[in-house]
Amino acid sequence: DGVERLSLGSTESNDGLGESKPDVLICTGDDDPFVKEQHLQGAMAMFTEVGCNCRVISFENTRHGFTNPAQDCNPSDAFAFDAHAYFESFSATRSLLRKAFELDKEN
């Protein structure tokens, strides 16, 4: 949500980040009808412009809602659970959080 507004530019200032330049992880399906490529590219450019390290993982043949097993019961073709994408995105998210909270460092 909000990717279109962010990717097309916002009149709001990006000064709220201050010195913090967080890592950003975007996991998406390349067959998601709700995520337009120009909005994804725009969001990536915006995050990069403000100094964030932006990483995108796009899963092949993957629809919207891929992390939710209940999507297999959704009658809309726009949604589908994908076990591979779910586990890979979860692993990438865990790695990002471990790095962000320095959980891999020795005490």
Coordinates of all heavy atoms in Angstrom, one line a residue:
D1 N 0.8 -1.2 0.0 CA 0.0 0.0 0.0 C 0.9 1.2 0.0 O 1.9 1.3 0.7 CB -0.9 0.0 1.2 CG -1.9 -1.1 1.2 OD1 -2.3 -1.6 0.1 OD2 -2.4 -1.5 2.3
G2 N 0.5 2.2 -0.8 CA 1.2 3.5 -0.8 C 2.4 3.5 -1.8 O 3.0 4.5 -2.0
V3 N 2.6 2.3 -2.4 CA 3.8 2.3 -3.4 C 3.6 3.2 -4.5 O 4.5 3.9 -4.9 CB 4.0 0.8 -3.9 CG1 5.0 0.8 -5.0 CG2 4.5 -0.1 -2.8
E4 N 2.3 3.3 -5.0 CA 2.1 4.2 -6.1 C 2.4 5.7 -5.7 O 3.0 6.4 -6.4 CB 0.6 4.1 -6.6 CG 0.3 5.0 -7.8 CD -1.1 4.8 -8.3 OE1 -1.9 4.0 -7.8 OE2 -1.4 5.4 -9.3
R5 N 1.9 6.1 -4.6 CA 2.2 7.4 -4.1 C 3.7 7.7 -3.9 O 4.2 8.7 -4.4 CB 1.5 7.7 -2.8 CG 1.7 9.1 -2.2 CD 1.0 9.3 -0.9 NE 1.5 8.4 0.1 CZ 2.7 8.6 0.8 NH1 3.4 9.6 0.5 NH2 3.0 7.7 1.7
L6 N 4.4 6.7 -3.3 CA 5.8 6.8 -3.1 C 6.6 6.8 -4.4 O 7.5 7.6 -4.7 CB 6.3 5.7 -2.2 CG 5.9 5.7 -0.8 CD1 6.3 4.4 -0.1 CD2 6.4 6.9 -0.1
S7 N 6.2 5.9 -5.3 CA 7.0 5.8 -6.6 C 6.7 6.9 -7.5 O 7.6 7.2 -8.4 CB 6.6 4.4 -7.2 OG 5.3 4.5 -7.7
L8 N 5.6 7.6 -7.4 CA 5.3 8.7 -8.4 C 5.8 10.0 -7.8 O 5.6 11.0 -8.4 CB 3.8 8.7 -8.7 CG 3.3 7.5 -9.4 CD1 1.8 7.6 -9.6 CD2 4.0 7.3 -10.7
G9 N 6.4 9.9 -6.6 CA 6.9 11.1 -6.0 C 5.9 11.7 -5.0 O 4.7 11.6 -5.2
S10 N 6.4 12.2 -3.9 CA 5.5 12.8 -2.9 C 6.0 14.2 -2.6 O 7.2 14.5 -2.7 CB 5.6 11.9 -1.7 OG 5.0 12.5 -0.6
T11 N 5.1 15.0 -2.2 CA 5.5 16.4 -1.8 C 6.0 16.4 -0.4 O 6.5 17.4 0.1 CB 4.3 17.3 -1.9 OG1 3.2 16.8 -1.1 CG2 3.9 17.4 -3.4
E12 N 5.8 15.3 0.3 CA 6.3 15.2 1.7 C 7.8 15.1 1.7 O 8.5 14.5 0.9 CB 5.8 13.9 2.4 CG 4.2 14.0 2.5 CD 3.7 12.7 3.1 OE1 4.4 12.0 3.9 OE2 2.6 12.3 2.7
S13 N 8.4 15.7 2.7 CA 9.9 15.7 2.9 C 10.4 14.3 3.3 O 9.7 13.6 4.1 CB 10.3 16.7 3.9 OG 11.7 16.6 4.2
N14 N 11.5 13.9 2.9 CA 12.2 12.7 3.3 C 13.1 12.9 4.5 O 13.9 12.0 4.9 CB 13.0 12.0 2.2 CG 12.0 11.5 1.1 OD1 11.0 11.0 1.3 ND2 12.5 11.7 -0.2
D15 N 13.1 14.1 5.0 CA 14.0 14.5 6.1 C 13.7 13.7 7.4 O 14.6 13.6 8.3 CB 13.9 16.0 6.5 CG 14.4 16.8 5.3 OD1 15.2 16.3 4.5 OD2 14.0 18.0 5.2
G16 N 12.6 13.0 7.5 CA 12.3 12.2 8.7 C 13.3 11.1 8.9 O 13.3 10.5 10.0
L17 N 14.0 10.7 7.9 CA 15.0 9.6 8.1 C 16.2 10.0 9.0 O 16.8 9.1 9.6 CB 15.5 9.0 6.8 CG 14.5 8.2 6.0 CD1 15.1 7.8 4.6 CD2 14.2 6.9 6.7
G18 N 16.5 11.3 9.0 CA 17.6 11.7 9.8 C 18.9 11.0 9.3 O 19.1 10.9 8.1
E19 N 19.7 10.5 10.2 CA 20.9 9.8 9.9 C 20.7 8.3 9.6 O 21.5 7.7 9.1 CB 21.9 10.0 11.1 CG 22.4 11.4 11.3 CD 23.1 12.0 10.0 OE1 23.9 11.3 9.5 OE2 22.7 13.1 9.6
S20 N 19.5 7.8 10.0 CA 19.2 6.4 9.8 C 18.9 6.2 8.3 O 18.1 6.8 7.7 CB 17.9 6.1 10.6 OG 17.6 4.8 10.3
K21 N 19.6 5.2 7.8 CA 19.4 4.8 6.4 C 19.2 3.2 6.5 O 20.1 2.4 6.3 CB 20.7 5.1 5.6 CG 21.1 6.5 5.6 CD 20.0 7.4 5.0 CE 20.5 8.9 5.0 NZ 19.4 9.9 5.0
P22 N 17.9 2.9 6.7 CA 17.6 1.4 6.9 C 17.7 0.6 5.6 O 17.6 1.2 4.5 CB 16.2 1.5 7.4 CG 15.6 2.7 6.9 CD 16.8 3.7 6.8
D23 N 17.9 -0.7 5.8 CA 17.8 -1.6 4.7 C 16.3 -1.8 4.4 O 15.5 -1.9 5.4 CB 18.5 -2.9 5.1 CG 20.0 -2.9 5.1 OD1 20.6 -1.9 4.5 OD2 20.6 -3.7 5.7
V24 N 16.0 -1.9 3.2 CA 14.6 -2.2 2.8 C 14.6 -3.4 2.0 O 15.4 -3.6 1.0 CB 14.1 -1.0 1.9 CG1 12.7 -1.3 1.4 CG2 14.1 0.3 2.7
L25 N 13.6 -4.3 2.3 CA 13.5 -5.6 1.6 C 12.0 -5.6 1.0 O 11.1 -5.4 1.7 CB 13.6 -6.8 2.5 CG 13.3 -8.1 1.9 CD1 14.3 -8.5 0.7 CD2 13.4 -9.2 3.0
I26 N 12.0 -5.7 -0.3 CA 10.7 -5.9 -1.0 C 10.6 -7.3 -1.6 O 11.5 -7.6 -2.4 CB 10.5 -4.8 -2.1 CG1 10.6 -3.4 -1.5 CG2 9.2 -5.0 -2.8 CD1 10.6 -2.3 -2.6
C27 N 9.6 -8.0 -1.2 CA 9.4 -9.4 -1.8 C 8.1 -9.3 -2.5 O 7.1 -8.9 -2.0 CB 9.3 -10.4 -0.7 SG 10.9 -10.6 0.3
T28 N 8.2 -9.7 -3.8 CA 7.0 -9.6 -4.6 C 7.0 -10.8 -5.6 O 8.0 -11.4 -5.8 CB 7.0 -8.2 -5.4 OG1 5.8 -8.1 -6.1 CG2 8.2 -8.1 -6.4
G29 N 5.8 -11.0 -6.2 CA 5.7 -12.0 -7.2 C 5.7 -11.3 -8.5 O 5.1 -10.3 -8.7
D30 N 6.4 -11.9 -9.5 CA 6.4 -11.3 -10.8 C 5.1 -11.5 -11.6 O 4.9 -10.9 -12.6 CB 7.6 -11.9 -11.6 CG 7.4 -13.3 -12.1 OD1 6.5 -14.0 -11.7 OD2 8.2 -13.7 -12.9
D31 N 4.2 -12.2 -11.0 CA 2.8 -12.4 -11.6 C 1.7 -11.8 -10.8 O 0.6 -12.2 -10.8 CB 2.6 -13.9 -11.8 CG 1.5 -14.2 -12.9 OD1 1.3 -13.3 -13.7 OD2 1.0 -15.3 -12.9
D32 N 2.1 -10.8 -10.0 CA 1.2 -10.1 -9.1 C 0.5 -9.0 -9.9 O 1.1 -8.0 -10.3 CB 1.9 -9.5 -7.9 CG 1.0 -8.9 -6.8 OD1 -0.1 -8.4 -7.2 OD2 1.4 -8.9 -5.7
P33 N -0.8 -9.1 -10.1 CA -1.5 -8.1 -10.9 C -1.7 -6.7 -10.2 O -2.0 -5.8 -10.8 CB -2.9 -8.7 -11.2 CG -3.1 -9.7 -10.0 CD -1.7 -10.2 -9.7
F34 N -1.4 -6.7 -8.9 CA -1.6 -5.5 -8.2 C -0.3 -4.6 -8.1 O -0.4 -3.5 -7.6 CB -2.1 -5.8 -6.8 CG -3.4 -6.5 -6.7 CD1 -3.4 -7.8 -6.3 CD2 -4.5 -5.9 -7.2 CE1 -4.6 -8.5 -6.3 CE2 -5.7 -6.6 -7.2 CZ -5.8 -7.9 -6.7
V35 N 0.8 -5.2 -8.4 CA 2.1 -4.5 -8.3 C 2.6 -4.2 -9.7 O 3.1 -5.1 -10.4 CB 3.2 -5.3 -7.5 CG1 4.5 -4.5 -7.4 CG2 2.6 -5.6 -6.1
K36 N 2.5 -2.9 -10.1 CA 3.0 -2.5 -11.4 C 4.5 -2.3 -11.4 O 5.0 -1.7 -10.4 CB 2.2 -1.2 -11.8 CG 0.7 -1.4 -12.0 CD 0.0 -0.2 -12.4 CE -1.4 -0.5 -12.5 NZ -2.3 0.7 -12.4
E37 N 5.1 -2.7 -12.5 CA 6.6 -2.6 -12.5 C 7.0 -1.1 -12.4 O 8.0 -0.9 -11.7 CB 7.1 -3.1 -13.9 CG 8.6 -3.1 -14.0 CD 9.3 -4.0 -13.0 OE1 8.7 -5.0 -12.5 OE2 10.5 -3.7 -12.7
Q38 N 6.3 -0.2 -12.9 CA 6.8 1.2 -12.8 C 6.7 1.7 -11.4 O 7.5 2.5 -10.9 CB 6.1 2.2 -13.8 CG 4.6 2.4 -13.4 CD 3.6 1.6 -14.2 OE1 4.0 0.5 -14.7 NE2 2.4 2.1 -14.4
H39 N 5.7 1.2 -10.6 CA 5.6 1.6 -9.2 C 6.7 0.9 -8.4 O 7.3 1.5 -7.5 CB 4.3 1.2 -8.6 CG 3.2 1.9 -9.3 ND1 1.9 1.5 -9.3 CD2 3.1 3.1 -10.0 CE1 1.1 2.3 -10.0 NE2 1.9 3.3 -10.4
L40 N 7.1 -0.3 -8.7 CA 8.1 -1.0 -8.0 C 9.5 -0.3 -8.3 O 10.2 0.0 -7.4 CB 8.2 -2.5 -8.5 CG 9.3 -3.3 -7.8 CD1 9.1 -3.4 -6.3 CD2 9.3 -4.7 -8.4
Q41 N 9.7 0.0 -9.5 CA 11.0 0.7 -9.9 C 11.0 2.1 -9.2 O 12.1 2.5 -8.8 CB 11.1 0.9 -11.4 CG 11.2 -0.5 -12.2 CD 12.5 -1.2 -11.8 OE1 13.5 -0.6 -11.5 NE2 12.4 -2.5 -11.7
G42 N 9.9 2.8 -9.2 CA 9.8 4.1 -8.6 C 10.1 4.0 -7.1 O 10.8 4.9 -6.5
A43 N 9.5 3.0 -6.4 CA 9.8 2.9 -5.0 C 11.2 2.6 -4.7 O 11.8 3.1 -3.8 CB 8.9 1.7 -4.4
M44 N 11.8 1.7 -5.5 CA 13.2 1.4 -5.4 C 14.1 2.6 -5.5 O 15.0 2.8 -4.8 CB 13.6 0.3 -6.4 CG 13.1 -1.1 -6.1 SD 13.3 -2.3 -7.4 CE 15.0 -2.0 -7.9
A45 N 13.8 3.4 -6.5 CA 14.5 4.6 -6.8 C 14.4 5.6 -5.6 O 15.4 6.2 -5.2 CB 14.1 5.3 -8.1
M46 N 13.2 5.7 -5.1 CA 12.9 6.6 -4.0 C 13.7 6.2 -2.7 O 14.4 7.0 -2.1 CB 11.4 6.7 -3.6 CG 11.0 7.7 -2.6 SD 11.0 7.1 -0.9 CE 10.2 5.5 -0.9
F47 N 13.7 4.9 -2.4 CA 14.5 4.4 -1.3 C 16.0 4.6 -1.5 O 16.7 5.0 -0.6 CB 14.2 2.9 -1.0 CG 12.9 2.6 -0.4 CD1 12.0 1.8 -1.0 CD2 12.5 3.2 0.8 CE1 10.7 1.5 -0.4 CE2 11.3 3.0 1.4 CZ 10.4 2.1 0.8
T48 N 16.4 4.3 -2.7 CA 17.9 4.5 -3.0 C 18.2 6.0 -2.9 O 19.3 6.3 -2.4 CB 18.2 4.0 -4.4 OG1 17.8 2.6 -4.4 CG2 19.7 4.1 -4.7
E49 N 17.4 6.9 -3.4 CA 17.6 8.3 -3.4 C 17.8 8.8 -2.0 O 18.6 9.7 -1.7 CB 16.5 9.0 -4.1 CG 16.7 10.5 -4.2 CD 15.5 11.2 -4.9 OE1 15.1 10.7 -5.9 OE2 15.1 12.2 -4.3
V50 N 17.1 8.3 -1.0 CA 17.2 8.8 0.4 C 18.3 8.0 1.1 O 18.4 8.2 2.3 CB 15.9 8.8 1.1 CG1 14.9 9.7 0.5 CG2 15.3 7.4 1.3
G51 N 19.0 7.2 0.4 CA 20.2 6.5 1.1 C 19.9 5.1 1.6 O 20.8 4.6 2.3
C52 N 18.8 4.6 1.4 CA 18.5 3.2 1.9 C 19.1 2.2 1.0 O 19.2 2.4 -0.2 CB 17.0 3.0 2.0 SG 16.1 4.0 3.1
N53 N 19.5 1.1 1.5 CA 19.9 -0.1 0.7 C 18.7 -0.9 0.4 O 18.1 -1.5 1.3 CB 20.9 -0.9 1.5 CG 21.4 -2.1 0.8 OD1 21.3 -2.2 -0.4 ND2 21.7 -3.1 1.5
C54 N 18.2 -0.8 -0.8 CA 16.9 -1.5 -1.2 C 17.2 -2.7 -2.0 O 17.9 -2.7 -3.0 CB 16.1 -0.5 -2.1 SG 14.5 -1.2 -2.4
R55 N 16.7 -3.8 -1.5 CA 16.8 -5.1 -2.1 C 15.4 -5.6 -2.5 O 14.5 -5.6 -1.7 CB 17.5 -6.1 -1.2 CG 17.6 -7.5 -1.8 CD 18.3 -8.4 -0.8 NE 18.2 -9.8 -1.3 CZ 18.2 -10.9 -0.5 NH1 18.3 -10.7 0.8 NH2 18.2 -12.1 -1.0
V56 N 15.3 -6.1 -3.8 CA 14.0 -6.6 -4.2 C 14.2 -8.1 -4.6 O 15.2 -8.4 -5.3 CB 13.5 -5.9 -5.5 CG1 12.2 -6.5 -6.0 CG2 13.2 -4.4 -5.1
I57 N 13.3 -8.9 -4.1 CA 13.3 -10.3 -4.5 C 11.9 -10.5 -5.2 O 10.9 -10.3 -4.6 CB 13.4 -11.3 -3.3 CG1 14.6 -11.0 -2.5 CG2 13.3 -12.7 -3.8 CD1 14.7 -11.8 -1.2
S58 N 12.0 -10.9 -6.5 CA 10.8 -11.1 -7.3 C 10.8 -12.6 -7.6 O 11.7 -13.1 -8.2 CB 10.9 -10.3 -8.6 OG 9.7 -10.5 -9.3
F59 N 9.7 -13.2 -7.1 CA 9.5 -14.6 -7.3 C 8.8 -14.9 -8.6 O 7.7 -14.4 -8.9 CB 8.8 -15.2 -6.1 CG 9.5 -15.1 -4.8 CD1 9.2 -14.1 -3.9 CD2 10.6 -15.9 -4.5 CE1 9.9 -13.9 -2.8 CE2 11.3 -15.8 -3.4 CZ 11.0 -14.8 -2.5
E60 N 9.3 -15.9 -9.4 CA 8.8 -16.2 -10.7 C 7.4 -16.9 -10.5 O 7.3 -17.8 -9.6 CB 9.8 -17.2 -11.4 CG 9.6 -17.3 -12.8 CD 10.8 -18.1 -13.4 OE1 11.9 -17.6 -13.3 OE2 10.5 -19.1 -14.1
N61 N 6.5 -16.6 -11.4 CA 5.2 -17.2 -11.5 C 4.5 -17.2 -10.1 O 3.8 -18.2 -9.7 CB 5.3 -18.7 -11.9 CG 5.9 -18.8 -13.3 OD1 5.6 -18.1 -14.2 ND2 6.8 -19.7 -13.4
T62 N 4.6 -16.1 -9.4 CA 4.0 -15.9 -8.1 C 3.0 -14.8 -8.1 O 3.3 -13.7 -8.6 CB 5.1 -15.7 -7.1 OG1 6.1 -16.8 -7.1 CG2 4.6 -15.5 -5.7
R63 N 1.8 -15.1 -7.5 CA 0.7 -14.1 -7.4 C 0.7 -13.4 -6.1 O 1.5 -13.6 -5.2 CB -0.6 -14.9 -7.6 CG -0.7 -15.8 -8.8 CD -0.7 -15.1 -10.1 NE -2.0 -14.6 -10.4 CZ -2.3 -13.7 -11.3 NH1 -1.4 -13.3 -12.1 NH2 -3.5 -13.3 -11.5
H64 N -0.3 -12.5 -6.0 CA -0.5 -11.7 -4.8 C -0.9 -12.6 -3.6 O -1.6 -13.6 -3.7 CB -1.6 -10.7 -5.0 CG -1.6 -9.5 -4.0 ND1 -0.7 -8.5 -4.1 CD2 -2.3 -9.3 -2.9 CE1 -0.9 -7.7 -3.1 NE2 -1.9 -8.1 -2.4
G65 N -0.4 -12.2 -2.4 CA -0.7 -13.0 -1.2 C 0.0 -14.3 -1.0 O -0.4 -15.2 -0.3
F66 N 1.2 -14.4 -1.6 CA 1.9 -15.6 -1.7 C 2.3 -16.2 -0.3 O 2.7 -17.4 -0.2 CB 3.1 -15.6 -2.6 CG 4.2 -14.6 -2.2 CD1 5.2 -15.0 -1.3 CD2 4.2 -13.3 -2.7 CE1 6.2 -14.1 -1.0 CE2 5.2 -12.4 -2.3 CZ 6.2 -12.8 -1.5
T67 N 2.4 -15.4 0.7 CA 2.8 -15.9 2.0 C 1.6 -16.4 2.9 O 1.9 -16.9 3.9 CB 3.5 -14.7 2.8 OG1 2.5 -13.7 3.1 CG2 4.7 -14.2 2.1
N68 N 0.4 -16.3 2.4 CA -0.7 -16.7 3.1 C -1.4 -18.0 2.6 O -2.0 -18.0 1.5 CB -1.8 -15.6 3.1 CG -3.0 -15.9 3.9 OD1 -3.2 -17.0 4.4 ND2 -3.8 -14.9 4.1
P69 N -1.2 -19.2 3.3 CA -1.8 -20.4 2.8 C -3.3 -20.4 2.5 O -3.8 -21.1 1.7 CB -1.5 -21.4 3.9 CG -0.3 -20.8 4.6 CD -0.5 -19.3 4.5
A70 N -4.0 -19.5 3.2 CA -5.4 -19.4 3.0 C -5.8 -18.9 1.6 O -6.9 -19.0 1.1 CB -6.0 -18.4 4.0
Q71 N -4.8 -18.3 0.9 CA -5.0 -17.8 -0.5 C -5.4 -19.0 -1.4 O -6.0 -18.7 -2.5 CB -3.9 -17.0 -1.1 CG -3.6 -15.7 -0.3 CD -4.7 -14.8 -0.3 OE1 -5.8 -14.9 -0.9 NE2 -4.6 -13.7 0.5
D72 N -5.0 -20.2 -1.1 CA -5.4 -21.3 -1.9 C -7.0 -21.5 -2.0 O -7.5 -22.1 -2.8 CB -4.8 -22.6 -1.4 CG -3.3 -22.7 -1.9 OD1 -2.9 -21.9 -2.7 OD2 -2.6 -23.5 -1.3
C73 N -7.6 -20.9 -1.0 CA -9.1 -21.0 -0.9 C -9.7 -19.7 -1.6 O -11.0 -19.6 -1.7 CB -9.6 -21.1 0.5 SG -9.0 -22.6 1.3
N74 N -8.9 -18.7 -1.9 CA -9.5 -17.5 -2.5 C -9.9 -17.8 -3.9 O -9.1 -18.3 -4.8 CB -8.4 -16.4 -2.5 CG -8.9 -15.1 -2.8 OD1 -9.8 -14.9 -3.6 ND2 -8.3 -14.1 -2.2
P75 N -11.1 -17.4 -4.3 CA -11.6 -17.7 -5.6 C -11.0 -16.8 -6.7 O -11.1 -17.2 -7.9 CB -13.2 -17.5 -5.5 CG -13.3 -16.5 -4.4 CD -12.2 -16.9 -3.4
S76 N -10.4 -15.8 -6.3 CA -9.8 -14.9 -7.3 C -8.4 -15.4 -7.8 O -7.6 -15.9 -7.1 CB -9.5 -13.5 -6.7 OG -8.8 -12.7 -7.6
D77 N -8.3 -15.4 -9.1 CA -7.0 -15.8 -9.8 C -5.8 -14.9 -9.5 O -4.7 -15.2 -9.7 CB -7.2 -15.9 -11.3 CG -8.1 -17.1 -11.7 OD1 -8.2 -18.0 -10.9 OD2 -8.6 -17.1 -12.8
A78 N -6.1 -13.7 -8.9 CA -5.1 -12.8 -8.6 C -4.2 -13.2 -7.4 O -3.1 -12.7 -7.2 CB -5.7 -11.4 -8.3
F79 N -4.8 -14.1 -6.6 CA -4.2 -14.5 -5.3 C -3.8 -16.0 -5.4 O -4.5 -16.8 -5.9 CB -5.1 -14.3 -4.2 CG -5.5 -12.9 -3.9 CD1 -6.6 -12.4 -4.6 CD2 -4.9 -12.1 -3.1 CE1 -7.0 -11.1 -4.5 CE2 -5.2 -10.8 -2.9 CZ -6.3 -10.3 -3.6
A80 N -2.6 -16.3 -4.8 CA -2.2 -17.8 -4.6 C -1.1 -17.9 -3.6 O -0.2 -17.1 -3.6 CB -1.8 -18.3 -6.0
F81 N -1.2 -18.9 -2.8 CA -0.1 -19.2 -1.9 C 1.0 -19.9 -2.7 O 0.8 -20.7 -3.6 CB -0.6 -20.2 -0.8 CG 0.5 -20.7 0.1 CD1 1.2 -19.8 1.0 CD2 0.9 -22.0 0.1 CE1 2.2 -20.3 1.8 CE2 1.9 -22.5 0.9 CZ 2.5 -21.6 1.8
D82 N 2.3 -19.6 -2.4 CA 3.4 -20.2 -3.0 C 4.4 -20.6 -1.9 O 5.0 -19.7 -1.3 CB 4.1 -19.3 -4.0 CG 5.2 -19.9 -4.8 OD1 6.2 -20.2 -4.2 OD2 5.0 -20.1 -6.0
A83 N 4.5 -21.8 -1.6 CA 5.4 -22.3 -0.5 C 6.8 -21.9 -0.7 O 7.5 -21.4 0.3 CB 5.3 -23.8 -0.3
H84 N 7.4 -22.0 -1.9 CA 8.8 -21.7 -2.1 C 9.0 -20.2 -1.8 O 9.9 -19.8 -1.1 CB 9.2 -22.0 -3.5 CG 10.5 -21.5 -3.9 ND1 11.7 -22.0 -3.5 CD2 10.9 -20.4 -4.7 CE1 12.7 -21.3 -3.9 NE2 12.2 -20.3 -4.7
A85 N 8.1 -19.3 -2.4 CA 8.3 -17.9 -2.2 C 8.1 -17.5 -0.8 O 8.8 -16.6 -0.2 CB 7.3 -17.1 -3.1
Y86 N 7.1 -18.2 -0.1 CA 6.9 -17.9 1.3 C 8.2 -18.2 2.1 O 8.6 -17.4 2.9 CB 5.7 -18.8 1.8 CG 5.7 -18.8 3.3 CD1 5.2 -17.8 4.1 CD2 6.1 -20.0 4.0 CE1 5.2 -17.8 5.5 CE2 6.1 -20.0 5.4 CZ 5.6 -18.9 6.1 OH 5.6 -19.0 7.5
F87 N 8.7 -19.4 2.0 CA 9.9 -19.7 2.8 C 11.1 -18.9 2.4 O 11.9 -18.5 3.3 CB 10.2 -21.2 2.6 CG 9.3 -22.1 3.4 CD1 8.4 -22.9 2.7 CD2 9.2 -22.1 4.8 CE1 7.5 -23.7 3.4 CE2 8.3 -22.9 5.4 CZ 7.4 -23.7 4.7
E88 N 11.3 -18.6 1.1 CA 12.5 -17.7 0.7 C 12.3 -16.3 1.3 O 13.3 -15.7 1.7 CB 12.6 -17.7 -0.8 CG 13.1 -19.1 -1.3 CD 14.5 -19.4 -0.9 OE1 15.4 -18.6 -0.8 OE2 14.7 -20.6 -0.5
S89 N 11.1 -15.8 1.2 CA 10.9 -14.4 1.7 C 11.0 -14.3 3.2 O 11.5 -13.4 3.7 CB 9.5 -13.8 1.2 OG 8.5 -14.6 1.7
F90 N 10.5 -15.4 3.9 CA 10.6 -15.4 5.3 C 12.1 -15.5 5.7 O 12.6 -14.8 6.6 CB 9.9 -16.6 5.9 CG 9.9 -16.7 7.4 CD1 9.1 -15.8 8.1 CD2 10.7 -17.6 8.0 CE1 9.2 -15.8 9.5 CE2 10.7 -17.7 9.4 CZ 9.9 -16.8 10.2
S91 N 12.9 -16.3 5.0 CA 14.3 -16.4 5.3 C 15.0 -15.1 5.1 O 15.9 -14.7 5.9 CB 14.9 -17.5 4.4 OG 16.3 -17.6 4.6
A92 N 14.7 -14.4 4.0 CA 15.3 -13.1 3.7 C 15.0 -12.1 4.7 O 15.8 -11.3 5.2 CB 14.9 -12.6 2.3
T93 N 13.7 -12.1 5.2 CA 13.3 -11.2 6.2 C 14.0 -11.4 7.5 O 14.4 -10.5 8.2 CB 11.7 -11.3 6.4 OG1 11.1 -11.0 5.2 CG2 11.2 -10.3 7.5
R94 N 14.1 -12.7 7.9 CA 14.8 -13.1 9.1 C 16.3 -12.6 9.1 O 16.8 -12.0 10.0 CB 14.8 -14.6 9.3 CG 13.7 -15.0 10.2 CD 13.8 -16.5 10.6 NE 15.1 -17.0 10.7 CZ 15.4 -18.3 10.8 NH1 14.5 -19.2 10.7 NH2 16.6 -18.7 11.0
S95 N 16.9 -12.8 7.9 CA 18.3 -12.3 7.8 C 18.4 -10.8 7.9 O 19.3 -10.3 8.6 CB 18.8 -12.7 6.4 OG 19.0 -14.1 6.3
L96 N 17.5 -10.1 7.3 CA 17.5 -8.6 7.4 C 17.3 -8.2 8.8 O 18.0 -7.3 9.3 CB 16.3 -8.0 6.5 CG 16.2 -6.5 6.6 CD1 16.8 -5.9 5.3 CD2 14.8 -6.1 6.8
L97 N 16.4 -8.8 9.6 CA 16.1 -8.4 11.0 C 17.3 -8.8 11.9 O 17.6 -8.1 12.8 CB 14.8 -9.1 11.5 CG 13.6 -8.5 10.8 CD1 12.3 -9.3 11.2 CD2 13.4 -7.0 11.1
R98 N 17.9 -10.0 11.6 CA 19.1 -10.4 12.4 C 20.2 -9.3 12.2 O 20.8 -8.9 13.2 CB 19.6 -11.7 12.0 CG 18.7 -12.9 12.4 CD 19.2 -14.2 12.1 NE 20.3 -14.6 13.0 CZ 20.1 -15.0 14.2 NH1 18.8 -15.1 14.7 NH2 21.1 -15.4 15.0
K99 N 20.4 -8.9 11.0 CA 21.4 -7.8 10.7 C 21.0 -6.5 11.4 O 21.8 -5.9 12.0 CB 21.6 -7.6 9.2 CG 22.6 -6.6 8.8 CD 22.6 -6.4 7.3 CE 23.5 -5.2 7.0 NZ 23.4 -4.8 5.6
A100 N 19.7 -6.1 11.2 CA 19.3 -4.8 11.8 C 19.4 -4.8 13.3 O 19.8 -3.7 13.9 CB 17.8 -4.6 11.4
F101 N 19.1 -5.9 14.0 CA 19.2 -5.9 15.4 C 20.5 -6.6 15.9 O 20.6 -6.9 17.1 CB 18.0 -6.7 16.0 CG 16.7 -5.9 15.8 CD1 15.8 -6.3 14.8 CD2 16.4 -4.8 16.5 CE1 14.6 -5.6 14.6 CE2 15.3 -4.1 16.3 CZ 14.4 -4.5 15.3
E102 N 21.4 -6.7 15.0 CA 22.8 -7.2 15.3 C 22.7 -8.5 16.1 O 23.5 -8.7 17.1 CB 23.6 -6.2 16.0 CG 23.7 -4.9 15.2 CD 24.5 -3.8 15.9 OE1 24.7 -3.9 17.1 OE2 24.9 -2.9 15.2
L103 N 21.9 -9.4 15.7 CA 21.7 -10.7 16.5 C 22.8 -11.7 16.2 O 22.9 -12.7 16.9 CB 20.3 -11.3 16.2 CG 19.1 -10.4 16.6 CD1 17.8 -11.1 16.2 CD2 19.2 -10.2 18.1
D104 N 23.6 -11.5 15.1 CA 24.6 -12.4 14.7 C 25.9 -12.1 15.4 O 26.9 -12.8 15.2 CB 24.8 -12.4 13.2 CG 23.6 -13.2 12.5 OD1 23.0 -14.0 13.2 OD2 23.3 -12.8 11.4
K105 N 26.0 -11.0 16.1 CA 27.3 -10.6 16.7 C 27.5 -11.3 18.0 O 26.6 -11.7 18.7 CB 27.3 -9.1 17.0 CG 27.4 -8.2 15.8 CD 27.7 -6.8 16.2 CE 28.0 -6.0 15.0 NZ 28.4 -4.6 15.3
E106 N 28.8 -11.6 18.3 CA 29.1 -12.2 19.6 C 28.9 -11.2 20.7 O 29.1 -10.1 20.6 CB 30.6 -12.6 19.5 CG 31.0 -13.5 18.4 CD 30.9 -15.0 18.7 OE1 31.0 -15.3 19.9 OE2 30.7 -15.8 17.8
N107 N 28.5 -11.7 21.8 CA 28.3 -10.9 23.0 C 29.5 -10.6 23.8 O 30.4 -11.4 23.9 CB 27.2 -11.5 23.9 CG 25.8 -11.4 23.3 OD1 25.6 -10.5 22.5 ND2 25.0 -12.3 23.6

